[in-house]
Amino acid sequence: MPIPEKTMENCILMLQHIQEDSSIPRNIRRVADETRTLLTNNSKAMGLRAAEAISKIDEISNDPNMPIHARTRIWELVSQLETIPLD
């Protein structure tokens, strides 16, 4: 079973890479930044942060302007976040 803390760190890094990729449209990079901020907010439970992040990422996952490589990263990110338990 994956360690939730390590998974969260990996997700934050993935979001940072998305945010720094200039080939990705600005609105998607902005949501990546907002999601990264959500995940680093330690005042909420880890599972709740993951669920909120999934919800936020879901908003942009079907954006027609998103490059294929970014969409693949987004799907991978959501898969990682779904492994974090809600309790």
Side-chain angles (χ1 to χ4, degrees), residues 24-64:
I24 297 174
R26 192 176 313 141
N27 65 320
I28 296 168
R29 288 185 287 153
R30 181 180 40 77
V31 171
D33 182 45
E34 292 170 2
T35 305
R36 192 173 57 84
T37 302
L38 252 174
L39 291 178
T40 57
N41 179 4
N42 291 325
S43 66
K44 294 182 180 177
M46 192 176 298
L48 179 60
R49 289 183 284 165
E52 288 177 345
I54 291 169
S55 176
K56 192 147 203 70
I57 291 169
D58 191 46
E59 295 174 14
I60 61 162
S61 66
N62 293 318
D63 188 320

Side-chain angles (χ1 to χ4, degrees), residues 4 12-13 41 51 63 78-79 86:
I12 291 169
L13 284 173
N41 179 4
D63 188 320
V78 169
S79 295
L86 283 174

Side-chain angles (χ1 to χ4, degrees), residues 60-64 66-76:
I60 61 162
S61 66
N62 293 318
D63 188 320
M66 186 182 301
I68 299 290
H69 72 279
R71 190 175 315 275
T72 304
R73 283 187 187 171
I74 292 290
W75 289 338
E76 183 181 348

